[in-house]
Amino acid sequence: MLKWSVSAVAAAAALAFATPSHAQFYISGSGGYLDLQNLHGTRSAFSADADFDDSYLLNAAIGYRFRLPAVNLRLEVEGGYGRANVKSVSITSPGGGTSTAILRGGNSDLYTATVNGFVEFPITPLISPYVGAGVGAAYTDLPSFSTAGGDVTFRGGSDANLLILGEAGLSINLGDHLAIVPSYRYLRFNSEISGVSDVDAHVFKLGVRFTF
């Protein structure tokens, strides 16, 4: 993750030295499988764990590619939307007993906005592996749930939190302007909701990028 962060910073710094003739504007879109990891929360002496169904994440971005002698650098602004359904919630009492939660609104909506930097390695005219990182904000809408007896309630809510990502992928060039981009992305959501843990997610996606 540290190497990806350094790569992103290097990409941003190099923009000041890239000549306009080597800059190319592009747009991209992607969609993929979202694996949102378990959400853990505590309230008083109780704890809860929410398990999410496998879901999806959609992204769109605009950016610039800068061609340098050995590598290509990309800097982009990206927005995304995803939704994950709560599969199950278990609540553990102070005595160690576990009960099933009653959900009120079982969907978790996710909106993201990030600035990303990538380093591409054009090993052939057709294939360019790349790595990168990004930082931004994630707006999440978490459901509330309570114990089966209704005696303890964990309140979710909506909040904007810090989002950090790392990505590795492959640009498969289908000419001078079009590329197919399979990739893996790691997401880290820093929770600001009291008693709710940070959340990790894994995304396996397929994208298309058009360069002007």
Side-chain angles (χ1 to χ4, degrees):
M1 188 66 185
L2 177 60
K3 292 182 179 179
W4 289 342
S5 299
V6 171
S7 298
V9 172
L15 298 183
F17 302 98
T19 61
S21 62
H22 292 118
Q24 294 178 298
F25 175 74
Y26 68 86
I27 59 175
S28 66
S30 65
Y33 161 78
L34 171 63
D35 179 15
L36 193 63
Q37 301 299 289
N38 287 1
L39 177 67
H40 180 75
T42 58
R43 182 63 56 86
S44 300
F46 293 81
S47 65
D49 291 278
D51 185 20
F52 295 90
D53 284 326
D54 298 335
S55 189
Y56 64 89
L57 184 65
L58 306 174
N59 293 104
I62 57 173
Y64 275 94
R65 172 196 283 147
F66 297 88
R67 296 185 181 275
L68 300 180
V71 297
N72 297 328
L73 305 179
R74 289 192 288 113
L75 184 66
E76 67 181 29
V77 177
E78 182 186 70
Y81 170 76
R83 165 172 283 196
N85 297 325
V86 179
K87 182 178 181 181
S88 63
V89 177
S90 61
I91 297 179
T92 303
S93 65
T98 301
S99 62
T100 302
I102 299 173
L103 298 179
R104 297 194 304 277
N107 295 327
S108 178
D109 291 313
L110 170 66
Y111 302 88
T112 65
T114 59
V115 176
N116 308 325
F118 302 99
V119 181
E120 296 180 339
F121 305 93
I123 56 177
T124 72
L126 177 65
I127 297 176
S128 298
Y130 72 88
V131 294
V135 63
Y139 179 83
T140 54
D141 186 8
L142 298 175
S144 298
F145 46 88
S146 59
T147 57
D151 51 341
V152 176
T153 297
F154 290 79
R155 300 191 182 278
S158 302
D159 203 359
N161 305 310
L162 176 67
L163 168 62
I164 300 172
L165 66 87
E167 181 170 320
L170 193 66
S171 294
I172 304 173
N173 302 312
L174 304 181
D176 294 333
H177 300 285
L178 185 65
I180 303 298
V181 188
S183 62
Y184 162 77
R185 175 174 288 189
Y186 166 80
L187 301 174
R188 176 77 172 184
F189 305 97
N190 288 1
S191 173
E192 299 295 336
I193 300 176
S194 177
V196 177
S197 65
D198 293 345
V199 180
D200 297 324
H202 305 282
V203 183
F204 300 88
K205 59 195 183 86
L206 182 65
V208 177
R209 184 170 62 243
F210 186 84
T211 303
F212 293 88

